[in-house]
PDB file of all heavy atoms in Angstrom:
ATOM      1  N   LEU A   1       2.452   1.771   8.010  1.00 74.00           N
ATOM      2  CA  LEU A   1       2.379   0.498   7.258  1.00 74.00           C
ATOM      3  C   LEU A   1       1.486   0.420   6.152  1.00 74.00           C
ATOM      4  O   LEU A   1       1.833  -0.406   5.229  1.00 74.00           O
ATOM      5  CB  LEU A   1       1.841  -0.560   8.371  1.00 74.00           C
ATOM      6  CG  LEU A   1       2.715  -0.925   9.573  1.00 74.00           C
ATOM      7  CD1 LEU A   1       2.105  -1.903  10.558  1.00 74.00           C
ATOM      8  CD2 LEU A   1       4.067  -1.381   9.139  1.00 74.00           C
ATOM      9  N   GLY A   2       0.520   1.195   6.037  1.00 78.00           N
ATOM     10  CA  GLY A   2      -0.289   1.341   4.930  1.00 78.00           C
ATOM     11  C   GLY A   2      -1.425   0.201   4.973  1.00 78.00           C
ATOM     12  O   GLY A   2      -1.691  -0.624   4.033  1.00 78.00           O
ATOM     13  N   VAL A   3      -2.239   0.124   6.116  1.00 71.00           N
ATOM     14  CA  VAL A   3      -3.291  -0.762   6.322  1.00 71.00           C
ATOM     15  C   VAL A   3      -4.645  -0.118   6.648  1.00 71.00           C
ATOM     16  O   VAL A   3      -4.506   1.111   7.257  1.00 71.00           O
ATOM     17  CB  VAL A   3      -3.040  -2.003   7.299  1.00 71.00           C
ATOM     18  CG1 VAL A   3      -1.868  -2.751   6.758  1.00 71.00           C
ATOM     19  CG2 VAL A   3      -2.558  -1.248   8.695  1.00 71.00           C
ATOM     20  N   VAL A   4      -5.735  -0.654   6.526  1.00 71.00           N
ATOM     21  CA  VAL A   4      -6.916  -0.312   7.081  1.00 71.00           C
ATOM     22  C   VAL A   4      -7.313  -1.228   8.202  1.00 71.00           C
ATOM     23  O   VAL A   4      -7.418  -2.503   7.871  1.00 71.00           O
ATOM     24  CB  VAL A   4      -8.064  -0.180   5.991  1.00 71.00           C
ATOM     25  CG1 VAL A   4      -9.424   0.260   6.585  1.00 71.00           C
ATOM     26  CG2 VAL A   4      -7.686   0.750   4.886  1.00 71.00           C
ATOM     27  N   LEU A   5      -7.677  -0.750   9.491  1.00 58.00           N
ATOM     28  CA  LEU A   5      -7.985  -1.629  10.563  1.00 58.00           C
ATOM     29  C   LEU A   5      -9.455  -1.430  10.867  1.00 58.00           C
ATOM     30  O   LEU A   5     -10.007  -0.348  10.796  1.00 58.00           O
ATOM     31  CB  LEU A   5      -7.101  -1.235  11.748  1.00 58.00           C
ATOM     32  CG  LEU A   5      -5.700  -1.372  11.672  1.00 58.00           C
ATOM     33  CD1 LEU A   5      -5.018  -0.913  12.832  1.00 58.00           C
ATOM     34  CD2 LEU A   5      -5.312  -2.876  11.374  1.00 58.00           C
ATOM     35  N   ASN A   6      -9.992  -2.546  11.364  1.00 58.00           N
ATOM     36  CA  ASN A   6     -11.161  -2.399  12.036  1.00 58.00           C
ATOM     37  C   ASN A   6     -10.858  -1.914  13.484  1.00 58.00           C
ATOM     38  O   ASN A   6     -10.209  -2.610  14.210  1.00 58.00           O
ATOM     39  CB  ASN A   6     -11.950  -3.791  12.049  1.00 58.00           C
ATOM     40  CG  ASN A   6     -13.355  -3.602  12.815  1.00 58.00           C
ATOM     41  OD1 ASN A   6     -13.448  -3.274  13.981  1.00 58.00           O
ATOM     42  ND2 ASN A   6     -14.258  -3.988  11.998  1.00 58.00           N
ATOM     43  N   ALA A   7     -11.379  -0.777  13.936  1.00 50.00           N
ATOM     44  CA  ALA A   7     -10.995  -0.118  15.133  1.00 50.00           C
ATOM     45  C   ALA A   7     -11.494  -0.993  16.409  1.00 50.00           C
ATOM     46  O   ALA A   7     -10.975  -0.896  17.470  1.00 50.00           O
ATOM     47  CB  ALA A   7     -11.551   1.277  15.270  1.00 50.00           C
ATOM     48  N   ALA A   8     -12.550  -1.784  16.131  1.00 49.00           N
ATOM     49  CA  ALA A   8     -13.074  -2.645  17.353  1.00 49.00           C
ATOM     50  C   ALA A   8     -12.307  -3.917  17.517  1.00 49.00           C
ATOM     51  O   ALA A   8     -12.012  -4.268  18.709  1.00 49.00           O
ATOM     52  CB  ALA A   8     -14.518  -3.000  17.085  1.00 49.00           C
ATOM     53  N   THR A   9     -11.817  -4.460  16.427  1.00 56.00           N
ATOM     54  CA  THR A   9     -11.051  -5.822  16.539  1.00 56.00           C
ATOM     55  C   THR A   9      -9.614  -5.677  16.331  1.00 56.00           C
ATOM     56  O   THR A   9      -8.915  -6.633  16.671  1.00 56.00           O
ATOM     57  CB  THR A   9     -11.633  -6.773  15.552  1.00 56.00           C
ATOM     58  OG1 THR A   9     -11.411  -6.351  14.202  1.00 56.00           O
ATOM     59  CG2 THR A   9     -13.140  -6.854  15.745  1.00 56.00           C
ATOM     60  N   MET A  10      -9.112  -4.596  15.728  1.00 59.00           N
ATOM     61  CA  MET A  10      -7.722  -4.331  15.399  1.00 59.00           C
ATOM     62  C   MET A  10      -7.238  -5.486  14.435  1.00 59.00           C
ATOM     63  O   MET A  10      -6.136  -5.817  14.519  1.00 59.00           O
ATOM     64  CB  MET A  10      -6.830  -4.420  16.763  1.00 59.00           C
ATOM     65  CG  MET A  10      -7.202  -3.379  17.662  1.00 59.00           C
ATOM     66  SD  MET A  10      -7.294  -1.743  16.873  1.00 59.00           S
ATOM     67  CE  MET A  10      -7.877  -0.767  18.433  1.00 59.00           C
ATOM     68  N   VAL A  11      -8.026  -5.950  13.579  1.00 70.00           N
ATOM     69  CA  VAL A  11      -7.811  -6.896  12.533  1.00 70.00           C
ATOM     70  C   VAL A  11      -7.614  -5.936  11.217  1.00 70.00           C
ATOM     71  O   VAL A  11      -8.272  -5.089  10.958  1.00 70.00           O
ATOM     72  CB  VAL A  11      -8.847  -7.841  12.309  1.00 70.00           C
ATOM     73  CG1 VAL A  11      -8.568  -8.772  10.973  1.00 70.00           C
ATOM     74  CG2 VAL A  11      -9.007  -8.719  13.557  1.00 70.00           C
ATOM     75  N   VAL A  12      -6.605  -6.428  10.407  1.00 73.00           N
ATOM     76  CA  VAL A  12      -6.342  -5.751   9.140  1.00 73.00           C
ATOM     77  C   VAL A  12      -7.582  -5.991   8.208  1.00 73.00           C
ATOM     78  O   VAL A  12      -7.951  -7.118   7.845  1.00 73.00           O
ATOM     79  CB  VAL A  12      -5.133  -6.204   8.475  1.00 73.00           C
ATOM     80  CG1 VAL A  12      -4.933  -5.615   7.057  1.00 73.00           C
ATOM     81  CG2 VAL A  12      -3.841  -5.961   9.317  1.00 73.00           C
ATOM     82  N   GLU A  13      -8.070  -4.904   7.642  1.00 74.00           N
ATOM     83  CA  GLU A  13      -9.294  -4.907   6.672  1.00 74.00           C
ATOM     84  C   GLU A  13      -8.767  -4.926   5.311  1.00 74.00           C
ATOM     85  O   GLU A  13      -9.250  -5.551   4.433  1.00 74.00           O
ATOM     86  CB  GLU A  13     -10.314  -3.822   6.906  1.00 74.00           C
ATOM     87  CG  GLU A  13     -10.902  -3.843   8.452  1.00 74.00           C
ATOM     88  CD  GLU A  13     -12.205  -4.541   8.416  1.00 74.00           C
ATOM     89  OE1 GLU A  13     -12.865  -4.591   7.400  1.00 74.00           O
ATOM     90  OE2 GLU A  13     -12.656  -5.083   9.454  1.00 74.00           O
ATOM     91  N   GLN A  14      -7.820  -3.969   5.149  1.00 78.00           N
ATOM     92  CA  GLN A  14      -7.274  -3.864   3.841  1.00 78.00           C
ATOM     93  C   GLN A  14      -5.745  -3.610   3.799  1.00 78.00           C
ATOM     94  O   GLN A  14      -5.330  -3.054   4.829  1.00 78.00           O
ATOM     95  CB  GLN A  14      -7.993  -2.665   3.015  1.00 78.00           C
ATOM     96  CG  GLN A  14      -9.511  -2.831   2.819  1.00 78.00           C
ATOM     97  CD  GLN A  14     -10.061  -1.591   2.174  1.00 78.00           C
ATOM     98  OE1 GLN A  14      -9.449  -0.841   1.573  1.00 78.00           O
ATOM     99  NE2 GLN A  14     -11.413  -1.404   2.388  1.00 78.00           N
ATOM    100  N   VAL A  15      -5.089  -3.949   2.663  1.00 81.00           N
ATOM    101  CA  VAL A  15      -3.681  -3.654   2.722  1.00 81.00           C
ATOM    102  C   VAL A  15      -3.430  -2.797   1.348  1.00 81.00           C
ATOM    103  O   VAL A  15      -3.866  -3.282   0.327  1.00 81.00           O
ATOM    104  CB  VAL A  15      -2.845  -4.838   2.690  1.00 81.00           C
ATOM    105  CG1 VAL A  15      -1.319  -4.520   2.429  1.00 81.00           C
ATOM    106  CG2 VAL A  15      -2.948  -5.706   3.859  1.00 81.00           C
ATOM    107  N   ARG A  16      -2.832  -1.617   1.517  1.00 82.00           N
ATOM    108  CA  ARG A  16      -2.689  -0.756   0.307  1.00 82.00           C
ATOM    109  C   ARG A  16      -1.562  -1.300  -0.618  1.00 82.00           C
ATOM    110  O   ARG A  16      -0.460  -1.681  -0.211  1.00 82.00           O
ATOM    111  CB  ARG A  16      -2.277   0.639   0.785  1.00 82.00           C
ATOM    112  CG  ARG A  16      -3.466   1.354   1.409  1.00 82.00           C
ATOM    113  CD  ARG A  16      -3.066   2.790   1.923  1.00 82.00           C
ATOM    114  NE  ARG A  16      -4.178   3.580   2.398  1.00 82.00           N
ATOM    115  CZ  ARG A  16      -4.003   4.752   2.879  1.00 82.00           C
ATOM    116  NH1 ARG A  16      -2.886   5.325   2.996  1.00 82.00           N
ATOM    117  NH2 ARG A  16      -5.197   5.380   3.319  1.00 82.00           N
ATOM    118  N   GLN A  17      -1.761  -1.278  -1.883  1.00 79.00           N
ATOM    119  CA  GLN A  17      -0.783  -1.791  -2.842  1.00 79.00           C
ATOM    120  C   GLN A  17       0.480  -0.928  -2.707  1.00 79.00           C
ATOM    121  O   GLN A  17       0.396   0.382  -2.608  1.00 79.00           O
ATOM    122  CB  GLN A  17      -1.386  -1.625  -4.283  1.00 79.00           C
ATOM    123  CG  GLN A  17      -2.424  -2.770  -4.516  1.00 79.00           C
ATOM    124  CD  GLN A  17      -2.948  -2.729  -5.985  1.00 79.00           C
ATOM    125  OE1 GLN A  17      -2.503  -1.829  -6.760  1.00 79.00           O
ATOM    126  NE2 GLN A  17      -3.640  -3.726  -6.225  1.00 79.00           N
ATOM    127  N   GLY A  18       1.616  -1.554  -2.803  1.00 78.00           N
ATOM    128  CA  GLY A  18       2.853  -0.837  -2.699  1.00 78.00           C
ATOM    129  C   GLY A  18       3.223  -0.296  -1.378  1.00 78.00           C
ATOM    130  O   GLY A  18       4.359   0.270  -1.240  1.00 78.00           O
ATOM    131  N   SER A  19       2.523  -0.579  -0.356  1.00 79.00           N
ATOM    132  CA  SER A  19       2.855  -0.057   1.021  1.00 79.00           C
ATOM    133  C   SER A  19       3.781  -1.063   1.605  1.00 79.00           C
ATOM    134  O   SER A  19       4.122  -2.224   1.076  1.00 79.00           O
ATOM    135  CB  SER A  19       1.567  -0.009   1.839  1.00 79.00           C
ATOM    136  OG  SER A  19       1.068  -1.326   2.065  1.00 79.00           O
ATOM    137  N   ILE A  20       4.274  -0.655   2.738  1.00 80.00           N
ATOM    138  CA  ILE A  20       5.316  -1.604   3.552  1.00 80.00           C
ATOM    139  C   ILE A  20       4.521  -2.785   3.893  1.00 80.00           C
ATOM    140  O   ILE A  20       5.000  -3.963   3.838  1.00 80.00           O
ATOM    141  CB  ILE A  20       5.731  -0.807   4.903  1.00 80.00           C
ATOM    142  CG1 ILE A  20       6.724   0.299   4.555  1.00 80.00           C
ATOM    143  CG2 ILE A  20       6.382  -1.893   5.742  1.00 80.00           C
ATOM    144  CD1 ILE A  20       7.218   0.953   5.689  1.00 80.00           C
ATOM    145  N   ALA A  21       3.251  -2.610   4.300  1.00 81.00           N
ATOM    146  CA  ALA A  21       2.470  -3.840   4.769  1.00 81.00           C
ATOM    147  C   ALA A  21       2.346  -4.947   3.509  1.00 81.00           C
ATOM    148  O   ALA A  21       2.501  -6.045   3.789  1.00 81.00           O
ATOM    149  CB  ALA A  21       1.089  -3.340   5.131  1.00 81.00           C
ATOM    150  N   ALA A  22       2.173  -4.410   2.388  1.00 80.00           N
ATOM    151  CA  ALA A  22       2.165  -5.194   1.226  1.00 80.00           C
ATOM    152  C   ALA A  22       3.448  -5.888   0.944  1.00 80.00           C
ATOM    153  O   ALA A  22       3.423  -7.100   0.576  1.00 80.00           O
ATOM    154  CB  ALA A  22       1.646  -4.460   0.004  1.00 80.00           C
ATOM    155  N   THR A  23       4.486  -5.079   1.118  1.00 80.00           N
ATOM    156  CA  THR A  23       5.832  -5.674   0.753  1.00 80.00           C
ATOM    157  C   THR A  23       6.206  -6.737   1.776  1.00 80.00           C
ATOM    158  O   THR A  23       6.862  -7.813   1.344  1.00 80.00           O
ATOM    159  CB  THR A  23       6.863  -4.527   0.916  1.00 80.00           C
ATOM    160  OG1 THR A  23       6.410  -3.509  -0.057  1.00 80.00           O
ATOM    161  CG2 THR A  23       8.302  -5.014   0.458  1.00 80.00           C
ATOM    162  N   ILE A  24       5.893  -6.620   3.022  1.00 80.00           N
ATOM    163  CA  ILE A  24       6.325  -7.644   4.029  1.00 80.00           C
ATOM    164  C   ILE A  24       5.369  -8.741   4.083  1.00 80.00           C
ATOM    165  O   ILE A  24       5.524  -9.763   4.773  1.00 80.00           O
ATOM    166  CB  ILE A  24       6.502  -7.063   5.406  1.00 80.00           C
ATOM    167  CG1 ILE A  24       5.087  -6.548   6.042  1.00 80.00           C
ATOM    168  CG2 ILE A  24       7.540  -5.987   5.336  1.00 80.00           C
ATOM    169  CD1 ILE A  24       5.186  -6.138   7.424  1.00 80.00           C
TER     170      ILE A  24
END
């Protein structure tokens, strides 16, 4: 997906530009 997660909370910390995550 292209994201950075906080491993404790499983919340998206960052979304990489041009990634699937950014596109959706």
Side-chain angles (χ1 to χ4, degrees):
L1 293 180
V3 295
V4 175
L5 294 179
N6 184 300
T9 65
M10 302 308 178
V11 172
V12 176
E13 299 265 333
Q14 299 176 23
V15 177
R16 292 180 173 175
Q17 291 185 352
S19 66
I20 289 179
T23 303
I24 67 174

